[in-house]
Amino acid sequence: MWLLLVLAVGAVAPTESRVRLSIREAGKPTGIRLRVTDGAGIYFAPLGHQPIAERNHKTPGDLLLGDGPFELHAYVYDGAEIDLPPGRYLFAARKGFEYEPIEQKVEIGHKAGQVVTLALRKFVDLERAGWFPGDTHLHFPDPVATRYEMECEGLRVCSLLLLKSGVPKPPRPGDGTFQNVELFTGKLAAGSDARHFIKVGEEFRHGLLAHLIFQNLKQIVWPVSTGGLRESGVGGYDWPMMLQAADEARAQRALVTWAHWPYPSMEAPLDIALGRIDSIDLLTVGNPFEHHPELVEVYKMRGPRAYATPPIEMYYHYLNCGLRLALSSGSDKMNQNPPMGSARTYVKTRAPLSYDSWVEGIRKGRTFVSTYPLLEFSVGGKIAGDTVTAGKLRVKARARSIEPYETLEVVVNGKVVASAAPEGRYNEAALDRTFEVAGGWIAVRAHGPKMLPYGATWWKMPVFAHSGPIYVRGRAPAAPESAAILLEQLGYLETWVRDKANFPAPENRVQALGYITQARAVYDKAAANH
C-alpha cells in the first residue's frame, strides 16, 4: 500500500528520540488524526508535518481546528515517526465518528527504537449493518491526498467538486477562474481502491439562485457558474437557470443535491416543486435551527419569510407539501479547516459498496446525516426512504455519540412528538413508541448546544444528526402554512425573473415564467390537501 508520509532517515538531534507509531485496527495498519502535546500543551508534529499553525496553511496531511488560537493535528498512517525530547506526552487521536477516541499518556525516554502503539476500536459498527459514511462536497485536497485523509477520518466515499469563481473585470462577460476541472474524467479518481471511492463531480453555482452539486457526472455541465460575482464574472447571464442545469445532469443519471442548504436558495421552491432536486445538504455550515448571519448577507437573502425561517424548518415545509426530498451532507472542505467529513452522509447500500451504490442510496433516501451522533431509525421495520401505510405505527430510534448532545427526538410532519435524553459513556438515547399517523412523514433527530470548532464562524456546527424521512401513505394534513411560505418565495423569484434577471433573449424570460407557473400549481394543491 502507498503511504502519504515522509519516512525519516539520518541524524536525530542529540536532545531528542525518534519514535515510531504503530497504528492498528484489529491488527491491521491504518491511519488516524493525531495531536501530540507535552505537559504544557505544546504541539509536536510528526516528521513531514507542519509544526506551526498558520491561517493560510494549505498543505495536505494537516488539519487546522479553531478560529484562533489554532490547533494543529496531523493525519498519519502506521509507520509514521516523530522526534520528541524525553518526557511525558499525550497522544490524542480520532478516526471518524464510530471509533473510541484515544487519549494515551506516554513516557518517552532517551533511547533508540521506541514505539508508541495506538490501537483503534469501534464502539459502533454501522458498516456491518450496511451503512457507509461519505462526504458529498470537497474542493481540497487532490484525489490522492483525499484518499489518504479520508481513511484517517473513517470515510468510504468522497465527491471532489470542480467549480468556477467570477472575476471583477473579465475579458468577456461572465468569465472566471476554474478549480479542479483538470481532475474531471467522469470515472473514479486516482487513489480509489476496493474500499475507498473518490470521484470528481461539479458544483454548479449562481450567487442568488442556488449552488447545486452534481455527483456521478459523465460530462461537465457548462458554463459551471452563471450570473455575476461571486460565482461568475461581472456581466454574466442568469441563464441557463439552475433547473435547466439540473436537467442536463439528471440526463446523465447524476445525483442533484442542494449544496450547503439554504445558502442561497431563491430558486429552491421552483426546482424542488418540479422534481429536479434529489437531496439537500442540510449540514455544511452553521446551525440548522438558525440562519447563518454571514451567509445571509453574502447571498443577499432578504425579503420573503423563507429567508428568516431556520434551514431545518424550510426543509420541513417542503416535506409537508408532499414533496419527497432526501437528506445528505458534506463538509465543503476548501483547505485545512474543517476536517473532511465534518458533516457526513451515512448511506444504506446493498453490498458490495461502490460509488454508484452509495449515490443511488442517497437518491432512494436511505440516509442519515451527522456531525457526530450515530442514528438507528425504523417505522414498522422500514427505514429512511421507505413508505409505510397510515395507522398505528411503531417507531424505534437510537442515538449514540462520542460528543455530547441534549436530546433524541421523533418528528412527525414537522412536530416533535417524543424525546429522550442521552446517558452513559456513549451518550446513548433510545425511543420505542407507537403513534397514530394519518399520513405525511416521520423522521428522528439528535442535537445539542455544543458547537464544534470548525473554522471561525463559517464552518462551525452543532453536535447534530437527522435521519431521512420515512413517508406515510394516507391522508396527510393540509399544509396551507407551508404552501404559503413557499408560494411567497416563488413570487419573489418571479419578480426577479420578470424585472431583474439578465437573460440572453426575451424568450428565455417567457420560458422561466412558464416554469414558475407550473410550480405554483404544486403549492396551490398542497395548500388544499395533498
Side-chain angles (χ1 to χ4, degrees):
M1 173 181 279
W2 55 267
L3 302 178
L4 184 69
L5 96 94
V6 178
L7 292 175
V9 295
V12 182
T15 57
E16 296 181 336
S17 298
R18 183 152 295 165
V19 178
R20 186 174 65 84
L21 303 178
S22 174
I23 305 168
R24 300 280 166 154
E25 179 190 354
K28 297 180 180 179
T30 188
I32 54 172
R33 180 209 301 181
L34 177 67
R35 180 170 171 83
V36 179
T37 54
D38 66 9
I42 297 173
Y43 173 70
F44 287 78
L47 296 175
H49 292 267
Q50 178 157 317
I52 300 173
E54 297 175 339
R55 182 183 293 273
N56 295 320
H57 175 205
K58 290 190 176 183
T59 304
D62 290 324
L63 173 66
L64 195 65
L65 295 184
D67 55 359
F70 298 106
E71 186 178 273
L72 265 176
H73 300 245
Y75 290 116
V76 293
Y77 203 83
D78 179 69
E81 295 179 298
I82 184 170
D83 287 349
L84 296 171
R88 287 189 166 191
Y89 296 88
L90 176 64
F91 284 68
R94 287 200 177 188
K95 183 184 177 79
F97 301 170
E98 299 174 51
Y99 292 84
E100 289 188 346
I102 294 174
E103 291 194 354
Q104 193 165 313
K105 294 180 180 178
V106 178
E107 183 83 29
I108 300 298
H110 204 327
K111 61 181 180 179
Q114 295 175 85
V115 176
V116 172
T117 298
L118 303 172
L120 289 157
R121 189 184 80 84
K122 281 188 174 184
F123 75 96
V124 178
D125 191 351
L126 291 181
E127 291 192 12
R128 182 173 294 180
W131 292 88
F132 296 94
D135 191 323
T136 62
H137 191 164
L138 303 172
H139 300 292
F140 171 91
D142 62 48
V144 173
T146 294
R147 162 64 183 83
Y148 178 74
E149 291 194 14
M150 70 189 289
E151 179 170 356
C152 295
E153 288 288 355
L155 295 165
R156 296 291 299 278
V157 182
C158 283
S159 293
L160 185 66
L161 305 180
L162 64 91
L163 59 81
K164 171 189 167 188
S165 296
V167 294
K169 296 180 180 180
R172 298 175 300 177
D175 277 354
T177 59
F178 291 90
Q179 178 179 330
N180 291 337
V181 171
E182 74 282 1
L183 301 175
F184 184 87
T185 64
K187 301 176 182 178
L188 286 177
S192 298
D193 58 28
R195 285 185 52 81
H196 302 88
F197 304 93
I198 308 158
K199 196 168 186 181
V200 178
E202 177 178 343
E203 185 175 2
F204 195 100
R205 311 194 304 167
H206 186 288
L208 296 176
L209 300 178
H211 285 201
L212 299 183
I213 296 170
F214 301 151
Q215 294 181 93
N216 225 7
L217 276 178
K218 298 177 178 64
Q219 297 179 325
I220 295 172
V221 178
W222 299 104
V224 181
S225 290
T226 58
L229 292 176
R230 304 162 39 120
E231 287 72 7
S232 192
V234 167
Y237 288 124
D238 299 310
W239 192 263
M241 298 186 73
M242 310 307 285
L243 177 146
Q244 294 161 311
D247 280 344
E248 187 172 337
R250 288 164 67 89
Q252 304 178 40
R253 287 291 299 165
L255 185 84
V256 178
T257 294
W258 206 282
H260 38 72
W261 176 261
Y263 312 108
S265 56
M266 188 192 290
E267 200 176 311
L270 173 65
D271 298 355
I272 295 173
L274 298 187
R276 271 32 178 225
I277 308 301
D278 298 305
S279 72
I280 67 165
D281 274 1
L282 180 64
L283 292 171
T284 299
V285 290
N287 189 336
F289 293 99
E290 58 188 41
H291 264 297
H292 194 298
E294 292 188 28
L295 293 181
V296 164
E297 292 303 314
V298 166
Y299 296 116
K300 302 177 177 63
M301 294 174 62
R302 297 180 292 272
R305 284 176 295 164
Y307 287 171
T309 303
I312 195 168
E313 291 184 23
M314 287 306 302
Y315 175 57
Y316 293 168
H317 284 312
Y318 286 103
L319 296 179
N320 287 344
C321 286
L323 299 166
R324 297 198 171 197
L325 195 57
L327 275 185
S328 52
S329 280
S331 64
D332 199 6
K333 183 176 177 66
M334 297 180 181
N335 48 43
Q336 254 60 33
N337 193 332
M340 190 179 297
S342 54
R344 60 187 62 189
T345 310
Y346 275 86
V347 181
K348 172 75 169 177
T349 70
R350 292 182 178 178
L353 174 68
S354 67
Y355 187 91
D356 289 352
S357 70
W358 193 80
V359 166
E360 288 307 305
I362 297 176
R363 195 191 307 275
K364 293 175 181 177
R366 300 186 181 280
T367 68
F368 73 86
V369 301
S370 181
T371 65
Y372 266 107
L374 302 170
L375 298 180
E376 299 172 38
F377 168 52
S378 65
V379 176
K382 300 292 186 179
I383 66 170
D386 285 341
T387 300
V388 297
T389 301
K392 289 185 177 181
L393 300 175
R394 184 181 182 185
V395 178
K396 297 177 70 176
R398 185 186 189 191
R400 287 171 284 179
S401 176
I402 58 176
E403 288 285 354
Y405 61 96
E406 192 170 76
T407 184
L408 171 68
E409 297 171 328
V410 176
V411 183
V412 176
N413 296 329
K415 306 296 183 183
V416 175
V417 297
S419 64
E423 59 185 10
R425 180 180 177 185
Y426 300 122
N427 300 292
E428 182 171 349
L431 287 162
D432 187 345
R433 299 275 296 276
T434 298
F435 304 95
E436 185 77 38
V437 182
W441 58 274
I442 305 172
V444 298
R445 67 192 191 192
H447 59 95
K450 181 177 180 178
M451 299 297 287
L452 298 166
Y454 301 151
T457 59
W458 281 83
W459 276 271
K460 281 187 176 176
M461 294 179 293
V463 178
F464 179 96
H466 202 297
S467 75
I470 294 175
Y471 302 98
V472 182
R473 184 189 300 109
R475 185 174 180 81
E481 293 181 6
S482 294
I485 199 168
L486 296 173
L487 281 167
E488 181 192 35
Q489 188 181 6
L490 189 66
Y492 184 75
L493 171 66
E494 182 178 33
T495 299
W496 179 84
V497 166
R498 188 179 60 244
D499 301 337
K500 296 182 179 181
N502 180 22
F503 291 138
E507 54 265 31
N508 303 139
R509 201 176 311 276
V510 173
Q511 186 175 357
L513 292 171
Y515 289 137
I516 291 169
T517 298
Q518 295 176 42
R520 182 175 287 109
V522 173
Y523 298 117
D524 285 340
K525 183 178 180 181
N529 198 327
H530 61 265

